[in-house]
Amino acid sequence: MKKFNFRKVLDGLTASSPGSGSSSASNSGGAGSGSVHPGGTAGVLREEIQESLTSEYFQICKTVRHGFPYQPTALAFDPVQKILAIGTRTGAIRILGRPGVDCYCQHESGAAVLQLQFLINEGALVSASSDDTLHLWNLRQKRPAILHSLKFNRERITYCHLPFQSKWLYVGTERGNTHIVNIESFILSGYVIMWNKAIELSTKTHPGPVVHLSDSPRDEGKLLIGYENGTVVFWDLKSKRAELRVYYDEAIHSIDWHHEGKQFMCSHSDGSLTLWNLKSPSRPFQTTVPHGKSQREGRKSESCKPILKVEYKTCRNSEPFIIFSGGLSYDKACRRPSLTIMHGKAITVLEMDHPIVEFLTLCETPYPNECQEPYAVAVLLEKDLILVDLTQTNFPIFENPYPMDIHESPVTCTAYFADCPPDLILVLYSIGVKHKKQGYSNKEWPVSGGAWNLGAQTYPEIIITGHADGSIKFWDASAMTLQMLYKLKTSKVFEKQKVGDGKQTCEIVEEDPFAVQMIYWCPESRIFCVSGVSAYVIIYKFSRQEITTEIVSLEVRLQCDVEDIITPEPETSPPFPDLSSQLPSSRSLSGSTNTVSSEGVTKDSIPCLSVKTRPVRMPPGYQADLVIQLVWVDGEPPQQITSLSISSAYGIVAFGNCTGLVVVDFIQKTVLLSMGTIDLYRSSDLYQRQPRSPRKNKQFIADNFCMRGLSNFYPDLTKRIRTSYQSLTELNDSPVPLELERCKSPTSGLATRTPEAAPGFYRNEMPAVRQRNQVHHLPDHVNGHCTSPTSQSCSSGKRLSSADVSKVNRWGPGRPPFRKAQSAACMEISLPVTTEEARENSYNRSRSSSISSIDKDSKEAVTALYFMESFARKNDSTVSPCLFVGTSLGMVLLISLNLPSSDEQRFTEPVMVLPSGTFLSLKGAVLTFSCMDRTGSLMQPPYEVWRDPNNTDENEKTWKRKLVMNYSTSPQETGDHQYTIICSEKQAKVFSLPSQTCLYVHNITETSFILQAEVVGMCNSACLACFCANGHIMIMSLPSLRPMLDVNYLPLTDMRIARTFCFTNEGQALYLVSPTEIQRLTYSQEMCDNIQDMLGDLFTPIETPEAQNRGFLKGLFGGSGQTFDREELFGEATAGKASRSLAQHIPGPGSIEGVKGAAGGVMGELTRARIALDERGQRLGELEEKTAGMMTSAEAFSKHAHELMLKYKDKKWYQF
């Protein structure tokens, strides 16, 4: 082959060579190297396509987080601003206001949030975390930031209380002490309430941690301190002594005041509530066990479960509300967690679906000494947030406007669509609103704080989530919000499984047989396709009309026995039987049946699930048009589907797995192709055998396959998946020895081909004798992966007799026995990195060798599918319908689709599906395809314009199919050539078709692999976006594959991220950051610059309501008339300084972020100057303190020296 000067090629110079089209040029550099193929069209490409995207267009930043906060721990509410805050075990805080106001912030330490306290109507929030640190958050900016932090070194924080309109925070500790913190400076006061001073001197035991702190509504100078062992101390802050003490036998969990400040209520560990009067603290004024059985007089009530929290709220015109969680009787163990509301003599128990974490009563007034007037209860559950309406007697709940039910069933897959057809959201909403739950409160959602506007981003966005129970949810994600539009239940297509039934399904998956695995949606044609974990595909069509009809189903037998073939007999086993015997029936397309093993009749040609055979009522919305199911083959369940694609313009759906490829005509409801992957190579040439070189090892690229096909559930939810044992054994880190690979006859598959058989219609099986190998031991585990058991090898040229065959085990080398797969956690990203040279050499385009099929891998999975108008063969002059097929070994096959010419013939004439013989190769499993025209514009697959299939209008009956081909230029101009972008888990390539010349190659990574890749539109151009397993997000220009962005964004620590990460147009992406939350991000610089305008404001200026006039008599007899000055009592002048070793003050980054937000203007300069002056003043103050200290030391030294001089002035030398 003629050698070319690579530099000249990069300069746009071309060289011609007839053999240059079959090889690919690549740099000798490492990961990320790119090169241009020296084909004749490279120079033409550079002249025609001017790339507009540069690195300045890209930047990574998080935008918004949707869903329920994962593992919540704390709850707080600002009654004036009407915003709600939720803390979590991972150190996150979610702040919610009106719909659209949703803010996420995170503690850097990741410590769990213990408690949250709003500075009511001040735009600030205090958080206490499990690492004994207090944080002050500034909420007056769209992205809250920490202003100050205070780290306690010697004591653990257990409870915090901030009085309304006070700047002094009370902090209780595990040792029983109470400290006071200045909120403005976040400095600890010298005033401390020690536990040994709070209790009586005669008490011999420690009272335990502080579980409650609150000031008296009647007198701000009195502090109520509750200890865990049942002791309550009423502390006088001025006199620094306990005014009264209360003792009870049971441990205290919570305390709440009556608004008059004369009584308080305690909840205890025995399920009792005690009401105490300050005038008689010796015993409780009232003791009740709300859920205990009534006992005779004089006997103690029956103990119940602990009441974890109680709130005592008063009303002007009715009896007070007593609301508490827990306290149920122990004999009702099966009852769910409950919230009890006591109003007068009525007791209402609200059972919850999940354990209660925290609850708060929402009241009209922020003043604790006024009548509270509660109107709602916010209940934070482990997996939900509900608000109960207290103003209605039946206590209905409010309809939650936030997307808190994303995790209603575990999310198994996601899809993201930006810039959708504008009418689609309204259509889906109009259908979905009819199926909403009823019985909600008729009042508006009480959490209505903050402000939000649409911002500059106005294009519609839709997110689709698939779930483990088979449900699919469509969400409106426009303008940084998320609202559910429509819910589809795929399980309604199948019969319900009875107890003890469905044994064939449990061989694949023990739980959730309807779990959604992959989804494919065409927004323009409204065709929706879904594949499930039980090896089925459902095609849905959208209709506004309700219908009742039978569900059409097809059963497809997909197998590949090439690896199991020993010695076929050409004269008795024709490789391509007569097509007439393979034509499908209307309901079933099964192959041979009645397979018998030595143990009895094995399962064969049986689907995993049973489709409903009776007529089914389908409401308006998405209605099932066709169900396609893979069936059992010789006692083995079908493999899970790894790739899916559908074309509304062609009326064809294609899907594949590690066994082969299936192509179905969903218009005529017939199977066009059902063929093993290896047969796709064979059927490209009927008349001659193309020899291929043997591979050095048998290393299956399982990295991507596991991501897309096996791990469909959360590792933390232990969703156990049964899948092919072969798919797990191929995760071995070490190459399989060649002797074990060649355990079958080298003459297998050499049968003579007959030209009469068409190569592409149906799966043509070759009857043969299978080799049987015994499995001797359980699989080993290497790096967290299951490795295949050692199999017995046989000589490569030996023929087995029928007697020999009957003695060996049923399982062949390519068909090991089915075993339970390890949980997805064992496949976490320690996936092996395979040898690139072996992959590159395994499918060389020369394919020259004298050995044929012994190196064929029967488990070459189909990992990517793509329908497009393209050039199927090298000599084609016009485009035609094609199907691109990508495999796990990096091979790309083009399949030609011969469609009838007219609409009338399309419903009657058969569609021809023929492998074209075109092969392209890459390193690693193929992930995605896309095409560009000669001008560099992104080509979209053709689609059919939507029409209602059930519309009975007269005009609709004569309506013809309207196809949109999406040509950016005229078909004549596009017909010259086009560019195909193919990305695998290792590299990306750009080919020119029909010449099949490789123009550009970019080796994306050498040490890791790509999990998700997508060609997306951005700024009227296109780019390739990739997410790598090492956490990098990479953007490359098209078609030159120049790196535009490479950011180490998120180290992959969970299979959930790999399964749900997806890119979309306009520079947006998302992934499931936790089992309950979706994180959206952008890689667009323009969107990063405008993100502040898109986010809602948490703080809005609102006047604090005025306190009610108490009246002359209440002021005279209702309490202390003296004003309480906390500054005078807790300030440094009176209380002194706290010990420096007790707590450490840590300045927060909030002020720095404020400077960045105001950068570029006068306010920014003033802020910088102010901070600089503050820092200078602080340094000068410190210097002044040091100088004063030195002067004091010098004066003391001078004084002592003078005294010493006077002492020894008159003494003689002998007197010393």
Side-chain angles (χ1 to χ4, degrees):
M1 180 184 295
K2 183 179 178 181
K3 295 184 178 179
F4 296 94
N5 189 321
F6 184 72
R7 292 184 178 179
K8 290 184 178 181
V9 175
L10 290 179
D11 292 336
L13 302 177
T14 59
S16 59
S17 174
S20 62
S22 61
S23 63
S24 61
S26 62
N27 281 343
S28 59
S33 60
S35 62
V36 184
H37 191 279
T41 59
V44 178
L45 177 69
R46 287 186 172 273
E47 293 177 3
E48 293 181 351
I49 300 179
Q50 298 294 329
E51 296 180 1
S52 59
L53 293 179
T54 60
S55 58
E56 288 77 15
Y57 282 81
F58 301 97
Q59 182 183 346
I60 295 288
C61 73
K62 296 179 180 179
T63 55
V64 68
R65 182 173 294 201
H66 302 296
F68 181 76
Y70 184 55
Q71 296 180 333
T73 56
L75 182 67
F77 181 71
D78 188 329
V80 179
Q81 289 288 323
K82 295 189 180 302
I83 56 176
L84 191 77
I86 301 174
T88 71
R89 192 175 301 172
T90 58
I93 299 177
R94 286 281 293 281
I95 305 173
L96 305 171
R98 67 175 68 247
V101 178
D102 187 344
C103 182
Y104 167 83
C105 43
Q106 173 75 42
H107 293 91
E108 291 184 0
S109 63
V113 178
L114 298 180
Q115 193 176 354
L116 295 172
Q117 285 274 327
F118 274 106
L119 276 67
I120 296 176
N121 204 26
E122 295 291 337
L125 175 71
V126 175
S127 63
S129 54
S130 60
D131 59 351
D132 306 310
T133 306
L134 298 174
H135 305 275
L136 178 63
W137 294 84
N138 179 18
L139 306 184
R140 292 177 178 254
Q141 54 194 56
K142 294 193 175 183
R143 289 190 180 272
I146 295 177
L147 295 175
H148 302 281
S149 297
L150 188 65
K151 169 74 173 175
F152 280 76
N153 298 322
R154 290 187 283 176
E155 298 192 55
R156 308 213 64 179
I157 300 173
T158 57
Y159 195 86
C160 298
H161 170 65
L162 181 64
F164 178 50
Q165 293 181 330
S166 171
K167 68 175 184 179
W168 298 95
L169 175 71
Y170 300 108
V171 181
T173 66
E174 192 176 31
R175 293 185 179 181
N177 302 326
T178 301
H179 301 275
I180 302 171
V181 178
N182 188 317
I183 290 296
E184 293 180 350
S185 61
F186 239 59
I187 296 177
L188 205 61
S189 170
Y191 192 108
V192 182
I193 304 175
M194 305 299 292
W195 67 271
N196 54 356
K197 294 182 180 180
I199 64 174
E200 289 184 346
L201 296 177
S202 60
T203 306
K204 297 181 179 180
T205 59
H206 191 278
V210 176
V211 297
H212 177 81
L213 291 169
S214 63
D215 54 342
S216 171
R218 193 179 186 187
D219 187 355
E220 296 177 350
K222 306 293 176 61
L223 183 67
L224 192 69
I225 308 173
Y227 295 95
E228 189 180 52
N229 72 340
T231 302
V232 179
V233 176
F234 197 51
W235 183 265
D236 190 335
L237 294 170
K238 289 183 178 180
S239 61
K240 298 183 181 180
R241 64 180 181 85
E243 185 172 307
L244 62 87
R245 297 179 179 89
V246 169
Y247 298 96
Y248 195 70
D249 296 336
E250 297 294 335
I252 292 177
H253 285 278
S254 69
I255 303 175
D256 198 20
W257 280 101
H258 188 279
H259 81 276
E260 293 180 350
K262 299 177 182 180
Q263 297 175 346
F264 61 89
M265 182 174 288
C266 302
S267 68
H268 300 277
S269 57
D270 63 345
S272 64
L273 296 174
T274 57
L275 185 63
W276 299 83
N277 196 317
L278 295 181
K279 293 183 178 181
S280 56
S282 59
R283 61 186 180 88
F285 174 73
Q286 182 182 349
T287 302
T288 58
V289 182
H291 295 293
K293 293 181 180 179
S294 59
Q295 302 289 345
R296 294 180 181 177
E297 293 184 1
R299 296 185 61 183
K300 188 178 179 181
S301 300
E302 179 190 14
S303 296
C304 295
K305 296 178 182 179
I307 296 179
L308 302 179
K309 184 177 181 180
V310 64
E311 291 204 350
Y312 188 23
K313 304 300 178 183
T314 56
C315 303
R316 292 188 185 92
N317 302 320
S318 64
E319 296 291 329
F321 280 92
I322 300 175
I323 306 171
F324 61 89
S325 60
L328 295 179
S329 177
Y330 280 106
D331 61 353
K332 299 178 180 178
C334 297
R335 292 189 64 173
R336 295 182 293 181
S338 64
L339 183 78
T340 304
I341 302 176
M342 300 174 63
H343 189 212
K345 296 182 179 180
I347 300 178
T348 304
V349 178
L350 304 178
E351 291 189 345
M352 306 295 172
D353 294 331
H354 310 285
I356 298 175
V357 176
E358 176 70 287
F359 75 89
L360 289 174
T361 305
L362 311 187
C363 302
E364 296 288 351
T365 176
Y367 295 95
N369 58 354
E370 294 181 0
C371 195
Q372 300 297 294
E373 292 293 337
Y375 59 89
V377 179
V379 186
L380 179 63
L381 308 177
E382 279 192 359
K383 295 183 179 180
D384 201 359
L385 172 68
I386 64 172
L387 265 68
V388 181
D389 187 356
L390 295 180
T391 62
Q392 301 183 37
T393 55
N394 59 341
F395 303 128
I397 64 173
F398 291 91
E399 185 177 3
N400 198 328
Y402 313 126
M404 293 291 185
D405 57 345
I406 292 176
H407 62 286
E408 184 179 12
S409 176
V411 178
T412 55
C413 61
T414 58
Y416 192 7
F417 300 88
D419 204 6
C420 301
D423 61 331
L424 203 52
I425 291 179
L426 294 177
V427 170
L428 291 173
Y429 180 78
S430 63
I431 297 296
V433 74
K434 300 176 182 178
H435 304 284
K436 280 193 174 182
K437 297 179 181 179
Q438 304 297 324
Y440 291 111
S441 173
N442 54 9
K443 294 189 176 181
E444 293 185 358
W445 181 255
V447 185
S448 56
W452 176 77
N453 53 18
L454 286 175
Q457 178 186 344
T458 56
Y459 53 83
E461 301 172 71
I462 292 179
I463 294 174
I464 304 177
T465 56
H467 300 265
D469 63 351
S471 62
I472 296 171
K473 295 180 180 180
F474 292 76
W475 306 84
D476 177 11
S478 306
M480 295 294 175
T481 61
L482 193 69
Q483 182 182 6
M484 195 174 78
L485 298 172
Y486 174 71
K487 183 177 181 180
L488 174 66
K489 295 182 179 179
T490 62
S491 59
K492 290 187 175 181
V493 173
F494 303 99
E495 298 285 356
K496 292 183 179 180
Q497 291 185 324
K498 299 179 180 179
V499 178
D501 194 9
K503 294 182 180 179
Q504 65 238 19
T505 303
C506 68
E507 295 292 340
I508 296 182
V509 54
E510 290 186 354
E511 300 176 5
D512 301 319
F514 306 111
V516 177
Q517 190 175 9
M518 302 181 73
I519 51 183
Y520 192 96
W521 188 44
C522 179
E524 291 80 8
S525 63
R526 302 183 188 177
I527 291 287
F528 185 69
C529 190
V530 55
S531 70
V533 72
S534 299
Y536 64 83
V537 172
I538 308 176
I539 301 172
Y540 289 90
K541 290 185 177 181
F542 189 84
S543 175
R544 298 176 183 269
Q545 309 296 326
E546 178 180 323
I547 61 170
T548 300
T549 183
E550 291 188 1
I551 301 174
V552 182
S553 65
L554 296 176
E555 296 175 1
V556 180
R557 183 183 179 91
L558 183 61
Q559 69 180 104
C560 182
D561 292 334
V562 175
E563 195 176 47
D564 296 334
I565 295 173
I566 303 300
T567 50
E569 299 295 337
E571 62 276 6
T572 60
S573 303
F576 294 95
D578 186 16
L579 288 179
S580 61
S581 63
Q582 297 288 340
L583 290 177
S585 63
S586 61
R587 301 282 302 176
S588 176
L589 287 165
S590 304
S592 61
T593 58
N594 300 328
T595 303
V596 182
S597 67
S598 59
E599 300 176 357
V601 179
T602 61
K603 297 177 182 178
D604 192 75
S605 303
I606 302 174
C608 297
L609 299 173
S610 299
V611 180
K612 291 181 179 179
T613 56
R614 62 185 182 276
V616 178
R617 185 187 72 86
M618 298 182 185
Y622 274 104
Q623 301 167 349
D625 183 65
L626 177 65
V627 180
I628 308 166
Q629 291 182 283
L630 298 180
V631 298
W632 287 61
V633 177
D634 297 337
E636 295 183 11
Q639 302 299 305
Q640 295 179 17
I641 294 171
T642 58
S643 58
L644 176 68
S645 184
I646 191 169
S647 173
S648 60
Y650 305 153
I652 294 176
V653 61
F655 61 93
N657 58 11
C658 65
T659 304
L661 173 68
V662 176
V663 181
V664 175
D665 182 351
F666 64 82
I667 294 179
Q668 300 185 27
K669 309 294 190 296
T670 57
V671 176
L672 304 177
L673 179 75
S674 175
M675 185 177 292
T677 313
I678 201 66
D679 294 328
L680 296 175
Y681 297 102
R682 288 180 176 175
S683 51
S684 63
D685 193 343
L686 294 175
Y687 307 105
Q688 63 178 351
R689 181 74 177 183
Q690 280 282 26
R692 291 174 55 247
S693 301
R695 293 194 302 273
K696 296 180 181 179
N697 58 10
K698 181 184 175 184
Q699 185 91 9
F700 179 69
I701 304 175
D703 306 352
N704 179 68
F705 175 61
C706 288
M707 302 296 172
R708 300 165 65 92
L710 295 180
S711 305
N712 298 287
F713 302 95
Y714 300 114
D716 50 323
L717 294 180
T718 64
K719 297 291 184 179
R720 300 184 296 273
I721 303 170
R722 287 182 180 267
T723 184
S724 171
Y725 186 80
Q726 177 71 21
S727 302
L728 292 176
T729 59
E730 288 161 345
L731 286 169
N732 194 356
D733 283 337
S734 58
V736 178
L738 191 60
E739 292 78 7
L740 297 183
E741 181 187 356
R742 298 176 180 177
C743 59
K744 58 183 183 298
S745 170
T747 60
S748 61
L750 292 178
T752 305
R753 297 176 181 266
T754 56
E756 293 80 14
F761 269 97
Y762 303 103
R763 169 71 177 88
N764 300 284
E765 299 170 11
M766 302 172 63
V769 181
R770 291 187 177 182
Q771 179 194 357
R772 320 296 182 187
N773 283 353
Q774 295 283 351
V775 178
H776 293 285
H777 60 276
L778 294 176
D780 299 328
H781 294 273
V782 180
N783 291 344
H785 308 293
C786 302
T787 57
S788 59
T790 305
S791 303
Q792 292 179 347
S793 60
C794 60
S795 58
S796 57
K798 183 179 179 181
R799 291 175 178 265
L800 299 181
S801 64
S802 59
D804 295 330
V805 172
S806 63
K807 295 179 182 180
V808 295
N809 195 339
R810 187 171 65 89
W811 303 101
R815 307 251 181 210
F818 239 68
R819 304 190 182 185
K820 182 189 296 185
Q822 304 297 315
S823 78
C826 81
M827 301 179 196
E828 286 188 4
I829 308 303
S830 57
L831 295 178
V833 179
T834 56
T835 306
E836 297 302 332
E837 291 78 5
R839 296 189 191 177
E840 192 73 7
N841 296 333
S842 60
Y843 275 108
N844 196 307
R845 294 188 63 176
S846 62
R847 307 175 74 87
S848 59
S849 176
S850 59
I851 302 178
S852 57
S853 65
I854 61 172
D855 56 344
K856 296 270 189 180
D857 196 336
S858 65
K859 295 301 180 183
E860 181 179 5
V862 177
T863 57
L865 295 168
Y866 181 65
F867 288 99
M868 177 52 75
E869 295 278 319
S870 186
F871 301 92
R873 296 173 181 83
K874 197 167 186 178
N875 297 325
D876 287 354
S877 58
T878 58
V879 295
S880 61
C882 294
L883 172 62
F884 289 77
V885 180
T887 72
S888 57
L889 295 181
M891 291 300 299
V892 177
L893 302 86
L894 266 70
I895 295 180
S896 177
L897 308 175
N898 190 356
L899 302 173
S901 57
S902 64
D903 287 344
E904 292 78 9
Q905 294 177 345
R906 178 65 185 87
F907 292 93
T908 57
E909 297 295 328
V911 176
M912 302 293 291
V913 180
L914 302 171
S916 64
T918 298
F919 301 100
L920 307 173
S921 64
L922 292 86
K923 292 181 182 179
V926 179
L927 300 180
T928 189
F929 301 95
S930 191
C931 289
M932 302 177 73
D933 61 20
R934 60 179 299 173
T935 64
S937 299
L938 193 62
M939 297 176 61
Q940 300 297 333
Y943 64 88
E944 178 187 0
V945 176
W946 175 80
R947 69 182 180 95
D948 197 330
N950 303 318
N951 199 329
T952 58
D953 190 7
E954 293 294 332
N955 296 329
E956 290 290 333
K957 293 182 179 179
T958 59
W959 201 90
K960 294 185 178 181
R961 297 177 72 226
K962 182 179 179 181
L963 304 183
V964 178
M965 307 310 294
N966 282 322
Y967 287 123
S968 58
T969 56
S970 64
Q972 291 76 16
E973 296 178 2
T974 309
D976 186 6
H977 63 272
Q978 65 179 207
Y979 308 107
T980 300
I981 301 101
I982 309 174
C983 184
S984 71
E985 63 180 5
K986 290 292 185 180
Q987 66 176 190
K989 287 186 177 181
V990 177
F991 293 91
S992 176
L993 298 181
S995 65
Q996 301 179 13
T997 304
C998 181
L999 300 174
Y1000 295 93
V1001 180
H1002 182 75
N1003 296 317
I1004 301 174
T1005 178
E1006 295 289 348
T1007 58
S1008 185
F1009 54 92
I1010 302 299
L1011 294 169
Q1012 183 66 32
E1014 195 70 35
V1015 176
V1016 294
M1018 182 174 170
C1019 300
N1020 298 321
S1021 187
C1023 59
L1024 175 64
C1026 302
F1027 176 57
C1028 194
N1030 59 14
H1032 284 250
I1033 292 179
M1034 292 161 283
I1035 309 294
M1036 283 149 282
S1037 67
L1038 291 177
S1040 65
L1041 296 177
R1042 291 182 294 108
M1044 298 282 100
L1045 179 72
D1046 188 350
V1047 176
N1048 187 5
Y1049 171 74
L1050 178 70
L1052 187 64
T1053 56
D1054 202 319
M1055 292 290 294
R1056 181 195 320 108
I1057 301 174
R1059 189 182 61 253
T1060 59
F1061 199 103
C1062 53
F1063 295 97
T1064 188
N1065 297 328
E1066 307 300 335
Q1068 300 213 59
L1070 65 81
Y1071 61 93
L1072 204 68
V1073 68
S1074 73
T1076 62
E1077 295 171 290
I1078 289 177
Q1079 177 66 59
R1080 292 167 66 179
L1081 63 140
T1082 180
Y1083 48 91
S1084 167
Q1085 178 68 59
E1086 181 183 2
M1087 192 169 183
C1088 290
D1089 295 338
N1090 300 327
I1091 190 67
Q1092 294 293 332
D1093 298 332
M1094 301 177 186
L1095 299 177
D1097 293 306
L1098 296 174
F1099 178 80
T1100 55
I1102 300 176
E1103 291 187 6
T1104 304
E1106 295 183 0
Q1108 294 179 358
N1109 188 3
R1110 300 182 65 188
F1112 175 75
L1113 293 178
K1114 282 192 175 182
L1116 184 62
F1117 302 105
S1120 175
Q1122 300 176 358
T1123 59
F1124 178 65
D1125 189 357
R1126 294 187 178 92
E1127 180 68 31
E1128 180 181 354
L1129 187 60
F1130 302 143
E1132 184 177 337
T1134 305
K1137 291 184 177 181
S1139 174
R1140 292 185 179 180
S1141 60
L1142 181 61
Q1144 177 186 0
H1145 176 258
I1146 305 171
S1151 58
I1152 299 177
E1153 182 169 332
V1155 172
K1156 290 182 179 178
V1162 177
M1163 292 302 296
E1165 298 296 334
L1166 291 176
T1167 307
R1168 291 192 192 94
R1170 179 182 175 185
I1171 292 176
L1173 288 174
D1174 290 343
E1175 293 176 352
R1176 183 172 179 270
Q1178 184 178 359
R1179 289 195 294 268
L1180 288 175
E1182 293 175 356
L1183 181 60
E1184 185 179 356
E1185 290 178 1
K1186 291 180 180 179
T1187 305
M1190 292 176 64
M1191 290 179 63
T1192 304
S1193 300
E1195 290 177 359
F1197 179 77
S1198 175
K1199 181 179 178 181
H1200 288 303
H1202 184 70
E1203 291 175 354
L1204 187 63
M1205 184 268 295
L1206 293 177
K1207 180 178 180 181
Y1208 297 104
K1209 180 179 179 182
D1210 298 329
K1211 290 187 179 183
K1212 303 297 181 180
W1213 61 271
Y1214 52 82
Q1215 293 177 337
F1216 289 99

